[in-house]
Amino acid sequence: MSTTVDTQKKGGFLAGTANYLDERVGVAGILKEFCRKIFPDHWSFMLGEVALYSFLVLLLSGTFLTFFFQPSMTPVIYDGVYGPLKGAEMSVAYASTLDISFEVRGGLLMRQVHHWAALLFVAAAGLHMMRVFFTGAFRKPREINWVVGFALFVLAMAGGFTGYSLPDDLLSGNGLRIIDGMIKGVPLIGAWISSFLFGGEFPGESIVARLYSLHILLIPALILVFIVIHLFMVVIHKHTHYSGPGRRDDNVVGYPLMPVYVAKAGGFFFLVFGVLMLVAATVSINPVWNYGGYDPSPVSAGTQPDWYIGWADGALRLAPTGIEVTAGGNTWSWNILLPIIVLVLLLVLVAFYPFFEAWVTGDKREHHVLDRPRNAPTRTAIGAAGMTFYAVLWAGAGTDLIATHFKMSLNTVLTFMQIFLIVGPILAFIITKRVCLSLQRKDREIALHGRETGRIVRLPHGEYIEIHEPLDEHELYKLVDFIDYKPTMARPNAKGVITLRSKLRSVLSRWYFEDRVSPATAGEIAASHHDHGAIDAKPSKKAIKG
């Protein structure tokens, strides 16, 4: 005997589909947990979103361009619609770029959207990293995620450069020529690597096809993988938030992913997409038809690469001359090797800085509350020094234009930038640290005595004082909620020996934290309010817990 129970389906097609998937792959539990993730709300967190949405625009516009671009260096005679180059000999890659620009409907717009999106992608990723650095968001447990984000930034620059070199025009060809020279400047293996990369002597006939494979396959795939890892780790570690009442290292204050942030993210994507389309439609960039096809003999004056490669070009221009030596049957061109070493060393320092700071501070705690840059003066000063060093290298890529526009000697401009490359970061470090300490002292004074109101009153015994307005709880919390690191002492190990590593750590710790301003304590705040409570503009709402 059998019993059949008919169950009436409710909810229609979508509910039935959701139930079908849930019964087979268990998506309901996953989505329920994920959609309830809390994300804090602050404008600076949108920089990472801008980078992500720019990459999506790159994928969309790049897919369109792959339908028409031909990555071949085979020479052809141009017979397209662009009159000034009709009958000129050029590569198939350059001819197809001209066809995309002038003959494919919407092709020029897509080219420009792709280029502007690439610039925005690198810029947004760089600004996002700066926000993470200056607020200390890279601290435990996010050190590895910092390295992942750094890898994304390097891949973004690599993707931009490989795409920039594909049209095989005079400007991109000169950029490749510089890369070829840098590679050949490496002793022992440089010539072999150059021959392998270019398929023979520069420019060869293979480099465009090889760069094309890197540009549309390997680099985007790596970027996608690292983006997934990056976002996964953001979800696992929880998002950081800025200091405020109720915000601690063991919680997150914000809004759930659904429906708030999903709606915001969708609208913000279309905003970024719309701005890129507007800029691409109104502002021309990389007009390759003005340069002509690549020819190794001429070099255009006053040309610079895209901004994110400018620092590498500047390093080559600012390198001192006359430092070539011959040893072991090889010529060591230090005017090429030195910039390469400096660039690589700078990238390594940026990638591993979180581990260095963790070692110096000895801080093993998890951090989810962000620092105000002024409350970490040495870190902020290091960041300012690094940005100054980068900026001078970047400006060095335009030494010729600076000299011609301001009617100055090129040698004078070069000498000034070479000096400022060393002096500038030192000055930036000193000035930034002093400014941060001054701001901390100001915050401490405001926390203790409130804001100046400009009102002067006379006390019964004849003394004149200024009325101070106490802060509300939120403002006061922001001024006093930061960790007061102190220099560490060099301590002996288990064998009773103070090692060189321990001494070095102690020296660096003193350099980091010897000059510091401690936050106002609850006792100090209470004492200051008690002394001036009778004349304050209004009483403090709540005492700060120590």
Side-chain angles (χ1 to χ4, degrees):
M1 182 177 180
S2 63
T3 302
T4 302
V5 179
D6 294 331
T7 303
Q8 184 178 2
K9 293 184 178 180
K10 298 180 180 181
F13 174 76
L14 291 179
T17 303
N19 185 63
Y20 178 89
L21 293 175
D22 183 43
E23 289 176 347
R24 286 155 180 80
V25 296
V27 295
I30 299 173
L31 290 178
K32 181 179 179 181
E33 182 67 24
F34 182 71
C35 292
R36 292 174 63 185
K37 293 292 291 186
I38 301 299
F39 288 88
D41 196 16
H42 193 272
W43 67 266
S44 64
F45 299 151
M46 299 170 68
L47 295 171
E49 293 185 50
V50 173
L52 176 62
Y53 301 150
S54 300
F55 180 67
L56 294 179
V57 175
L58 281 171
L59 291 180
L60 294 173
S61 56
T63 301
F64 176 89
L65 294 175
T66 57
F67 296 151
F68 305 99
F69 182 74
Q70 302 178 46
S72 171
M73 298 181 71
T74 303
V76 296
I77 302 299
Y78 180 67
D79 191 30
V81 299
Y82 186 63
L85 291 177
K86 189 179 289 289
E89 183 177 297
M90 60 185 64
S91 67
V92 172
Y94 185 59
S96 66
T97 304
L98 294 178
D99 291 340
I100 293 173
S101 302
F102 296 113
E103 299 186 40
V104 175
R105 180 168 296 180
L108 180 58
L109 178 63
M110 286 295 104
R111 272 195 63 234
Q112 300 209 145
V113 166
H114 196 68
H115 203 130
W116 280 116
L119 297 181
L120 182 60
F121 179 41
V122 182
L127 290 173
H128 178 63
M129 287 190 65
M130 289 168 57
R131 195 275 301 172
V132 170
F133 178 85
F134 285 112
T135 59
F138 55 78
R139 294 172 295 174
K140 183 181 178 180
R142 298 176 181 85
E143 305 97 329
I144 297 178
N145 211 14
W146 166 269
V147 177
V148 172
F150 171 79
L152 278 170
F153 182 69
V154 174
L155 286 170
M157 291 192 294
F161 181 77
T162 53
Y164 175 82
S165 304
L166 291 181
D168 198 31
D169 60 299
L170 182 60
L171 190 60
S172 64
N174 286 335
L176 284 175
R177 186 54 164 165
I178 294 173
I179 296 297
D180 176 60
M182 293 177 68
I183 294 174
K184 287 179 176 175
V186 178
L188 304 178
I189 62 174
W192 179 85
I193 294 176
S194 174
S195 178
F196 173 79
L197 180 63
F198 290 94
E201 185 60 35
F202 179 87
E205 296 182 353
S206 305
I207 186 62
V208 169
R210 292 174 178 177
L211 291 178
Y212 186 69
S213 299
L214 293 174
H215 184 70
I216 70 168
L217 293 176
L218 183 60
I219 294 178
L222 289 175
I223 291 177
L224 281 172
V225 169
F226 278 105
I227 285 177
V228 171
I229 296 174
H230 192 67
L231 296 178
F232 176 77
M233 296 180 77
V234 168
V235 173
I236 293 298
H237 295 149
K238 298 185 298 188
H239 203 292
T240 54
H241 52 189
Y242 285 93
S243 178
R247 299 180 180 183
R248 307 182 304 273
D249 283 328
D250 59 354
N251 71 348
V252 179
V253 178
Y255 300 97
L257 183 66
M258 281 289 291
V260 178
Y261 273 100
V262 170
K264 283 186 175 182
F268 195 45
F269 166 74
F270 286 108
L271 180 62
V272 172
F273 184 79
V275 170
L276 283 172
M277 291 295 291
L278 178 63
V279 172
T282 55
V283 183
S284 177
I285 188 170
N286 197 26
V288 294
W289 51 88
N290 288 336
Y291 312 133
Y294 179 65
D295 182 352
S297 55
V299 176
S300 299
T303 58
Q304 279 79 38
D306 280 341
W307 70 267
Y308 50 84
I309 302 296
W311 67 303
D313 190 11
L316 287 172
R317 297 192 187 200
L318 299 183
T321 58
I323 52 176
E324 293 184 348
V325 296
T326 302
N330 294 284
T331 300
W332 297 71
S333 301
W334 287 104
N335 54 328
I336 296 177
L337 291 174
L338 187 60
I340 295 176
I341 294 172
V342 169
L343 296 179
V344 173
L345 183 61
L346 181 60
L347 292 175
V348 170
L349 290 176
V350 172
F352 292 98
Y353 177 83
F355 305 97
F356 171 74
E357 183 174 303
W359 175 69
V360 171
T361 61
D363 190 358
K364 304 299 182 183
R365 295 168 293 182
E366 288 194 2
H367 295 274
H368 301 291
V369 177
L370 298 174
D371 288 333
R372 300 173 77 201
R374 67 183 64 180
N375 293 334
T378 302
R379 181 205 300 149
T380 303
I382 291 173
M387 290 173 58
T388 303
F389 187 78
Y390 175 91
V392 175
L393 290 179
W394 179 80
T399 50
D400 52 346
L401 291 181
I402 295 174
T404 55
H405 280 65
F406 292 96
K407 302 186 184 306
M408 300 171 64
S409 166
L410 177 60
N411 290 332
T412 301
V413 175
L414 281 171
T415 302
F416 171 79
M417 288 197 173
Q418 287 171 337
I419 296 173
F420 198 68
L421 184 64
I422 306 300
V423 177
I426 298 175
L427 292 176
F429 179 89
I430 295 173
I431 294 172
T432 303
K433 188 169 183 178
R434 291 297 105 190
V435 169
C436 288
L437 291 171
S438 298
L439 290 173
Q440 280 188 290
R441 293 188 183 97
K442 177 185 176 183
D443 288 347
R444 179 180 171 84
E445 186 70 17
I446 293 175
L448 290 174
H449 304 293
R451 299 188 185 279
E452 297 178 354
T453 63
R455 294 172 54 199
I456 307 297
V457 298
R458 181 185 178 187
L459 299 182
H461 59 274
E463 179 186 2
Y464 288 90
I465 65 170
E466 182 181 11
I467 295 294
H468 287 73
E469 179 183 352
L471 306 179
D472 61 32
E473 181 182 280
H474 178 80
E475 291 179 303
L476 186 56
Y477 198 99
K478 184 174 67 173
L479 296 183
V480 301
D481 182 37
F482 63 93
I483 299 174
D484 182 25
Y485 289 104
K486 295 179 175 60
T488 59
M489 300 291 293
R491 301 184 182 280
N493 57 16
K495 298 180 180 180
V497 178
I498 299 178
T499 62
L500 178 61
R501 182 175 181 269
S502 180
K503 293 179 181 178
L504 177 61
R505 180 182 174 186
S506 178
V507 171
L508 290 173
S509 179
R510 285 199 303 272
W511 178 66
Y512 257 77
F513 305 119
E514 191 167 25
D515 293 333
R516 69 187 189 280
V517 177
S518 300
T521 64
E524 292 173 328
I525 294 173
S528 66
H529 286 179
H530 176 74
D531 293 339
H532 299 87
I535 57 173
D536 280 341
K538 60 180 181 179
S540 178
K541 294 181 180 178
K542 184 179 180 181
I544 299 299
K545 295 181 180 180

